[in-house]
Amino acid sequence: MADPSKTSEVNAISSTEYSEVDIPAKKVAIAADSSDDMDEKNIGTQGHQRKQSGASSRRISEWEALQIVAAGDLDTINREMDEIEADLQNMNIKSTWYKPQLRLNDPRYFTWLLVGFASMGGLLSGVDQSLISGANLFMPASLHLDTHHVSLVSSGVPLGAVGGALILGPLNEAVGRRMAIIVSLVLYTIGAALEAGAIDFDMMFAGRFILGMGVGLEGGTVPVYVAESVSRKYRGNLVSLYQFMIALGEVFGYVIAAIFVNVKSGSWRYMLGSSLVFSTVMFFGIIFMPESPRFLMHKGRTTEAWHVWKQIRGEDAEARTEFFVMKHSVAEEFASKEQGHNKRFPWMDFFTVPRARRAIIYANVMVFLGQFTGINAIQYYMATLMQQVGFDDKQSVFMSLVGGGSLLLGTIPAILYMEKFGRRFWACAMLPGFFIGLVIIGCSYLIPLTNKSASQGTYIAGLIIYEGFFGSYSCLTWVIPSEVYPTYLRSYGMETSDVTLFLCSFLVTYFFSQMQTAMSQIGLTLGFYGGIAVVGWVYQILFMPETKNKTLEEIDIIFSQPTGQLVRENFRSAMVTVNDFVCFRWGKVFSPVSESDIFRKENGHKTELGPEAKHDELLK
């Protein structure tokens, strides 16, 4: 710990490695007080605790922890981390059959292994969602389903996913991220088995619904699990990998459908049952993965959190300083929750705490835009839509690969460059692209089917553009919710985002046929989906903050500023970018440096309580 008499005069964080936060200069008094003991008991720990007689401890806020990092006070950081390391050595954590400990020499390999197995959930989700497209060509006749039944079967996964999302928060809080993923895999297996063996509508719908519960539970847990575990430098890229795996899974689903399309008896059963292979592989892989370190910290298991952190992040200076900030951030959140009015129902903070309220609105608007521009309706009915422009049954199955492949390829730029250019730039650049694709798709419906080559060619061209740009944009619907919520509300926040995502998916899927009949094909594609894309683009320009290359704790500071201040910053940034674009200063337009960050560096960070407000005041 630091010398009790020591007082540090710290400059703004913008002058350090944590420059994106731009917290104004302030004096941070490091005062020792034995009554403000910061051992694990103070953050609600029930496990191993550090008890040192005569040791002087102190409580510091997240803000002050960030300032200590900014000042380069490594002595204070290392002293506290060495105490945690000593506790870890005393614990002597061992591998057990129900909690195996996988040990690798290089933390980078462990990180990639963790991200790889976790992201397989996206592969599984994509496979299960796209297989129904091919199965719908043969299953209705086999099970004697009418149009209403087909709509329910197609929308059974997103409907079940709403149910899975509703148990996401309580299950994540009770058993953690890793075990929640394992539960989702059990649901996947049961659902796929029921689908493959279905003998009537009831059994098929039950299988789709249970499988959907797995999709909903896993879909909201995996991005959080990854975001809480990986470095801030790669968080956007690695969470985007989840969307890449969804797109890859959808391509696999179309490939599997194409493989079994010529099987004369029960082809759709092989299609739907094939996902059992993927769920089995992921199940055995995730068993060897550790729990999220931030979840362990949230539960007061600081020493175990450091054990996991060392495995996946290493012990270098950056890893130690980030863990130091995380430790005090989670402790502050816990203290604020204990002193607040919503101790029994912390999710009420989404209504009463401005910082939390902004996060839930922002995240769920992004999710809404991702779904109500029609992507899942198009994916679920891909083969049917291909038939509408003149392809026969087998051609429809094979041509579905074009749409799925475009979505897959579109996610690659997001994985490579989102962290470089930022979330805000990515959203504002991608959304107009898939609007253009919707326009071309709409125009294809104006071409008579007598001119089949022109109709099909125009439709396929529009579909490639739409799916390609949406593939890049859709990564944001996983990245944004996984990083904007406070740690103590992250499970509840992801639950709301997950429910929003799959409820919207259910609505656009279930009502697709009726909406297409009522609005016409071009009206639904261009008027409804395209109109929402335009409104969403304006929203993003004005209200979307930049969160790239920031720790989850630094994002707290961004969401503590008033919405009006954010809108003024974004409007200024948009005007500067438009001016640079018109004047052909494209180097600045495509610069990885955010205009908002430049503005904050020049003007300081503004909050509701003024630039000198402490962060613990912002949470009240």
Side-chain angles (χ1 to χ4, degrees):
M1 295 296 176
D3 184 346
S5 63
K6 181 179 178 181
T7 301
S8 301
E9 184 75 42
V10 187
N11 288 328
I13 289 182
S14 58
S15 65
T16 73
E17 175 188 341
Y18 289 76
S19 58
E20 291 84 355
V21 181
D22 296 308
I23 303 174
K26 66 189 289 288
K27 292 183 178 181
V28 181
I30 311 295
D33 187 345
S34 60
S35 64
D36 287 333
D37 187 43
M38 254 309 293
D39 65 7
E40 291 161 285
K41 183 183 295 184
N42 287 64
I43 60 173
T45 181
Q46 300 297 322
H48 298 271
Q49 301 174 358
R50 172 170 43 86
K51 298 180 181 178
Q52 295 181 335
S53 59
S56 94
S57 302
R58 55 183 169 74
R59 171 178 295 168
I60 64 175
S61 68
E62 174 190 352
W63 182 285
E64 290 169 327
L66 286 168
Q67 294 283 34
I68 289 172
V69 173
D73 188 359
L74 295 180
D75 288 341
T76 298
I77 296 170
N78 287 333
R79 192 171 294 115
E80 187 166 327
M81 295 307 303
D82 288 344
E83 291 174 353
I84 299 174
E85 176 64 26
D87 291 343
L88 177 59
Q89 296 303 319
N90 293 331
M91 284 184 66
N92 190 25
I93 297 176
K94 296 181 179 180
S95 180
T96 60
W97 68 271
Y98 62 90
K99 199 174 182 181
Q101 300 289 325
L102 181 64
R103 301 181 186 277
L104 298 175
N105 292 330
D106 193 331
R108 292 175 300 176
Y109 299 153
F110 207 119
T111 298
W112 281 107
L113 201 61
L114 182 148
V115 173
F117 275 115
S119 297
M120 271 195 70
L123 183 75
L124 192 53
S125 176
V127 166
D128 283 313
Q129 292 183 66
S130 63
L131 283 173
I132 195 64
S133 175
N136 271 340
L137 297 176
F138 311 101
M139 178 191 60
S142 178
L143 297 183
H144 310 292
L145 307 182
D146 58 25
T147 303
H148 176 67
H149 286 155
V150 171
S151 294
L152 282 174
V153 168
S154 296
S155 57
V157 166
L159 182 62
V162 174
L166 288 173
I167 65 173
L168 186 152
L171 195 61
N172 268 258
E173 285 297 303
V175 300
R177 323 302 190 207
R178 170 180 169 273
M179 186 55 67
I181 294 173
I182 291 175
V183 172
S184 74
L185 293 173
V186 173
L187 293 172
Y188 269 121
T189 302
I190 295 173
L194 287 173
E195 280 185 318
I199 58 175
D200 55 21
F201 164 75
D202 294 335
M203 191 171 175
M204 172 59 68
F205 181 76
R208 296 288 291 171
F209 186 88
I210 293 172
L211 190 147
M213 289 187 68
V215 172
L217 179 58
E218 169 263 317
T221 304
V222 168
V224 170
Y225 182 56
V226 173
E228 290 185 339
S229 302
V230 303
S231 170
R232 64 188 175 92
K233 294 180 181 179
Y234 312 111
R235 187 176 63 246
N237 303 52
L238 293 179
V239 176
S240 297
L241 183 63
Y242 181 72
Q243 176 59 36
F244 173 83
M245 296 298 279
I246 291 177
L248 181 62
E250 290 178 347
V251 171
F252 280 5
Y254 296 134
V255 170
I256 291 168
I259 291 173
F260 292 112
V261 70
N262 289 320
V263 176
K264 294 182 178 180
S265 176
S267 60
W268 60 271
R269 296 186 186 277
Y270 293 102
M271 294 179 189
L272 297 178
S274 62
S275 68
L276 290 168
V277 176
F278 299 97
S279 62
T280 302
V281 172
M282 183 179 173
F283 178 84
F284 284 105
I286 208 70
I287 283 177
F288 290 93
M289 295 299 105
E291 183 52 83
S292 155
R294 276 185 173 85
F295 173 79
L296 293 172
M297 183 77 76
H298 170 58
K299 291 298 183 181
R301 296 153 64 183
T302 304
T303 307
E304 290 181 62
W306 174 239
H307 171 67
V308 174
W309 192 264
K310 288 203 309 179
Q311 289 179 298
I312 61 179
R313 300 292 299 279
E315 300 179 71
D316 58 18
E318 181 181 355
R320 290 169 76 91
T321 54
E322 188 173 339
F323 190 90
F324 172 81
V325 174
M326 179 178 71
K327 177 178 183 291
H328 292 291
S329 173
V330 174
E332 181 182 4
E333 288 180 351
F334 187 87
S336 298
K337 183 178 71 171
E338 287 299 298
Q339 295 168 6
H341 299 292
N342 302 314
K343 288 191 291 185
R344 291 187 60 191
F345 305 105
W347 51 267
M348 286 293 294
D349 284 0
F350 284 126
F351 301 97
T352 59
V353 178
R355 179 262 181 271
R357 187 167 59 243
R358 293 188 191 100
I360 196 171
I361 293 173
Y362 168 56
N364 285 291
V365 168
M366 291 298 297
V367 169
F368 172 85
L369 292 175
Q371 291 302 309
F372 266 79
T373 45
I375 185 62
N376 272 342
I378 291 175
Q379 293 299 110
Y380 278 54
Y381 288 95
M382 182 80 75
T384 303
L385 291 170
M386 291 293 181
Q387 287 179 323
Q388 291 179 356
V389 292
F391 293 106
D392 61 30
D393 287 353
K394 292 184 180 180
Q395 288 175 334
S396 296
V397 172
F398 284 102
M399 289 307 296
S400 296
L401 286 167
V402 175
S406 300
L407 185 73
L408 173 65
L409 293 175
T411 61
I412 295 176
I415 295 171
L416 298 176
Y417 298 112
M418 181 188 292
E419 204 61 59
K420 178 179 180 180
F421 293 106
R423 285 60 156 154
R424 175 174 164 78
F425 172 89
W426 208 254
C428 294
M430 294 300 112
L431 206 150
F434 67 77
F435 172 75
I436 293 172
L438 287 170
V439 171
I440 297 174
I441 290 173
C443 292
S444 72
Y445 291 124
L446 299 176
I447 302 174
L449 285 180
T450 52
N451 190 355
K452 187 179 295 187
S453 59
S455 173
Q456 293 174 350
T458 305
Y459 180 84
I460 292 297
L463 183 67
I464 290 173
I465 295 172
Y466 169 76
E467 296 266 2
F469 276 94
F470 192 89
S472 281
Y473 179 86
S474 60
C475 294
L476 291 166
T477 62
W478 301 107
V479 173
I480 296 299
S482 71
E483 66 185 11
V484 300
Y485 296 114
T487 301
Y488 79 104
L489 291 175
R490 192 162 291 130
S491 296
Y492 301 104
M494 278 304 295
E495 179 175 345
T496 66
S497 296
D498 219 27
V499 168
T500 301
L501 188 151
F502 290 110
L503 181 60
C504 291
S505 176
F506 166 73
L507 292 175
V508 298
T509 304
Y510 180 73
F511 292 107
F512 176 78
S513 299
Q514 296 93 314
M515 291 174 70
Q516 195 177 59
T517 301
M519 298 181 183
S520 77
Q521 294 169 326
I522 188 172
L524 175 60
T525 303
L526 189 53
F528 188 77
Y529 297 151
I532 290 178
V534 171
V535 172
W537 189 55
V538 175
Y539 166 82
Q540 289 170 167
I541 289 175
L542 294 178
F543 292 97
M544 186 174 187
E546 183 54 76
T547 57
K548 75 163 186 172
N549 199 30
K550 294 175 174 62
T551 66
L552 298 179
E553 287 68 45
E554 290 170 346
I555 292 174
D556 274 346
I557 308 299
I558 292 177
F559 279 89
S560 296
Q561 65 179 329
T563 303
Q565 173 66 22
L566 175 64
V567 171
R568 286 191 292 272
E569 288 182 12
N570 285 344
F571 184 76
R572 170 195 174 277
S573 173
M575 292 299 99
V576 171
T577 302
V578 168
N579 184 58
D580 290 337
F581 186 86
V582 171
C583 297
F584 300 101
R585 293 191 290 266
W586 291 349
K588 292 185 65 179
V589 173
F590 296 102
S591 170
V593 180
S594 167
E595 283 291 337
S596 298
D597 286 342
I598 295 174
F599 180 80
R600 291 195 191 110
K601 287 179 182 179
E602 294 174 350
N603 298 274
H605 184 84
K606 307 293 192 302
T607 67
E608 292 173 315
L609 301 179
E612 299 298 321
K614 292 183 179 180
H615 185 63
D616 52 355
E617 293 175 303
L618 300 175
L619 293 176
K620 294 181 180 179

